[in-house]
Amino acid sequence: MVNIEPPTRLQGKYAAIVVCWLLGNGCLFSWSSMLTVEDFYGYLFPKYHPSRVLTLVYQPFAFGTLAILSYNEAKVNTRLRNLFGYTLFFISTLLVLILNSATSGKGGLGTFIGICAMSGCFGVADAHVQGGMVGDLSYMQPEFIQSFLAGLAASGALTSTLRLVTKAAFENSKDGLRKGAILFFAISTFFELLCVLLYAFVFPKIPIVKYYRSKAASEGSKTVSADLAAGGIQTILKQDEDYGKEQERKGNKQLLFENIDYLLDMFLIYVLTLSIFPGFLIEDTGAHKLGTWYALVLIAMYNVGDLIGRYIPLIELLKLESRKLTTVAILCRFLLVPAFYFTAKYGDQGWMIMLTSFLGLSNGYLTVCVMTSAPKGYKGPEQNALGNLLVLFLLGGIFAGVTLDWLWLIGKGW
């Protein structure tokens, strides 16, 4: 096994943090763009509840694909997995752009089915990239996974900001909503291509990344060999019996039972968040002074809160590391359900904006606390497997949340 000498292992730390942030951004930039132009899709497809349906289509593909990948995690080539995911994001976003241009901004069932198909492709791509990257970064420094998770949130904050700008720019122009949406997906297409290039040619050559991948390979990981080769390091796997016994890793089942609290924490965080965001915030908060800007402002405030929340754990004094306290905090968060219900019914827009900001802040903060604490104390291959399981439960929570989100429609013609 070829190892990198310890004195060089910290070289490129900040470059790796920046690349992780960009790759995290790319993981959800396309999907965030689709969510953020929900006002355009709501206008095109008023009868089909696009804010709910697109998310509901996305999640089964994401969850089902990741379940298969997590089960076979130890055998999957991480490099091919992540490159396939980012490439699929690029192709799918380009197809959404082409579809919007080809239909000239017209609605109809056929166009809606096409948009739903692209939403499903985003789900497959997300399962490849998010699970693959979180697993890969779980055996590196905690700052890397924090930066990747912050990038995920930043994609939402950036797309929300861009949407507010494009709405202001095109509001009074003919076909303004469509022009804004096309600009969005053009930017998304370019950014996804950038992520393909970053992961293929930049990330594997950063010294600190090569160090941790070599370390994982020395602990028995078979998923990093292609990435090491891309970084100029060839691995020679030893076959002797003593080495095999030394490198035995815990199976997925054992990791699941040992970390069931963390896994359920991830599930519960996203069950709550997605039962409110984005469907309830877009369709069920009534009419207010902000008019058509209201839903966009709520989405923007959630995304900004989510982004800020993912940086709070960098302050050691504010990071929640107790397993019991983390679970208690996540359970207390369910008090937001009645809070949103009564605020939508009786409160004004100021209270709703404040609640939405707190929903995002708590979502980002608790996600990073769980994701960075759970892998501690395990070998590289086990941390990779646990990272995949954490994302699997996260997507399971999202799937359950978007399904429960339909309950808000009870008594409203359903």
Side-chain angles (χ1 to χ4, degrees), residues 375-390:
K376 289 180 179 178
Y378 289 102
K379 295 177 184 177
E382 294 165 349
Q383 290 171 321
N384 192 344
L386 183 54
N388 275 271
L389 287 174
L390 286 166

Side-chain angles (χ1 to χ4, degrees), residues 146-401:
Q146 182 277 330
S147 183
F148 179 80
L149 294 172
L152 292 176
S155 67
L158 285 172
T159 51
S160 291
T161 303
L162 280 170
R163 186 68 190 114
L164 293 172
V165 171
T166 55
K167 183 172 174 62
F170 296 123
E171 188 172 27
N172 296 320
S173 69
K174 184 181 179 182
D175 214 14
L177 281 175
R178 178 171 168 264
K179 289 176 182 176
I182 287 175
L183 178 61
F184 251 86
F185 286 108
I187 294 171
S188 296
T189 302
F190 169 78
F191 195 78
E192 296 301 344
L193 179 60
L194 175 64
C195 286
V196 172
L197 299 176
L198 279 174
Y199 188 84
F201 302 110
V202 178
F203 192 60
K205 295 180 180 178
I206 299 173
I208 191 170
V209 174
K210 291 196 284 186
Y211 168 78
Y212 280 110
R213 282 177 170 164
S214 290
K215 185 171 179 287
S218 71
E219 293 172 341
S221 177
K222 299 176 182 178
T223 63
V224 296
S225 56
D227 278 313
L228 284 173
I233 298 174
Q234 296 298 323
T235 57
I236 303 171
L237 295 178
K238 298 181 181 179
Q239 301 296 331
D240 58 88
E241 190 176 333
D242 291 337
Y243 179 80
K245 288 181 179 177
E246 183 184 337
Q247 303 308 324
E248 282 184 3
R249 51 153 281 188
K250 295 178 179 178
N252 286 350
K253 188 175 181 181
Q254 186 175 352
L255 288 171
L256 188 149
F257 284 121
E258 288 181 2
N259 296 277
I260 191 65
D261 54 337
Y262 280 134
L263 296 171
L264 289 176
D265 284 346
M266 290 305 302
F267 180 84
L268 293 173
I269 289 170
Y270 284 87
V271 162
L272 176 70
T273 299
L274 271 292
S275 66
I276 297 170
F277 175 87
F280 173 79
L281 295 182
I282 292 173
E283 292 192 15
D284 304 307
T285 51
H288 295 274
K289 295 176 184 176
L290 286 171
T292 58
W293 287 81
Y294 187 55
L296 294 181
V297 169
L298 289 179
I299 290 173
M301 293 309 296
Y302 168 86
N303 285 323
V304 170
D306 190 29
L307 177 60
I308 293 170
R310 294 181 190 226
Y311 280 100
I312 293 174
L314 287 177
I315 305 169
E316 284 298 322
L317 287 173
L318 299 179
K319 186 177 180 181
L320 193 59
E321 294 189 283
S322 166
R323 296 173 82 141
K324 289 183 179 179
L325 287 178
T326 300
T327 301
V328 168
I330 289 166
L331 291 174
C332 288
R333 215 168 152 255
F334 278 83
L335 293 172
L336 286 171
V337 172
F340 270 98
Y341 175 77
F342 288 111
T343 302
K345 200 167 186 179
Y346 304 111
D348 60 21
Q349 61 191 26
W351 286 104
M352 184 62 76
I353 290 171
M354 185 191 74
L355 269 182
T356 304
S357 300
F358 181 75
L359 178 72
L361 188 77
S362 58
N363 183 83
Y365 172 73
L366 291 168
T367 297
V368 171
C369 286
V370 173
M371 285 282 198
T372 55
S373 297
K376 289 180 179 178
Y378 289 102
K379 295 177 184 177
E382 294 165 349
Q383 290 171 321
N384 192 344
L386 183 54
N388 275 271
L389 287 174
L390 286 166
V391 177
L392 179 64
F393 275 74
L394 181 157
L395 291 179
I398 293 176
F399 188 16

Side-chain angles (χ1 to χ4, degrees), residues 28 31 54-72 81 89 119-132 256 263-264 266-268 270-271 274 387-403:
L28 281 184
W31 175 240
L54 290 176
T55 311
L56 196 58
V57 169
Y58 175 96
Q59 289 310 322
F61 284 96
F63 183 76
T65 303
L66 187 57
I68 295 168
L69 289 171
S70 296
Y71 183 78
N72 298 290
R81 172 180 176 173
F89 269 130
S119 179
C121 289
F122 286 159
V124 173
D126 182 27
H128 280 79
V129 171
Q130 192 171 172
L256 188 149
L263 296 171
L264 289 176
M266 290 305 302
F267 180 84
L268 293 173
Y270 284 87
V271 162
L274 271 292
N388 275 271
L389 287 174
L390 286 166
V391 177
L392 179 64
F393 275 74
L394 181 157
L395 291 179
I398 293 176
F399 188 16
V402 298
T403 305

Side-chain angles (χ1 to χ4, degrees), residues 21 43-44 97 105 125 155 195 251 345 398 407 410:
W21 189 88
Y43 168 76
L44 280 186
L97 184 62
S155 67
C195 286
K345 200 167 186 179
I398 293 176
L407 295 177
I410 292 175

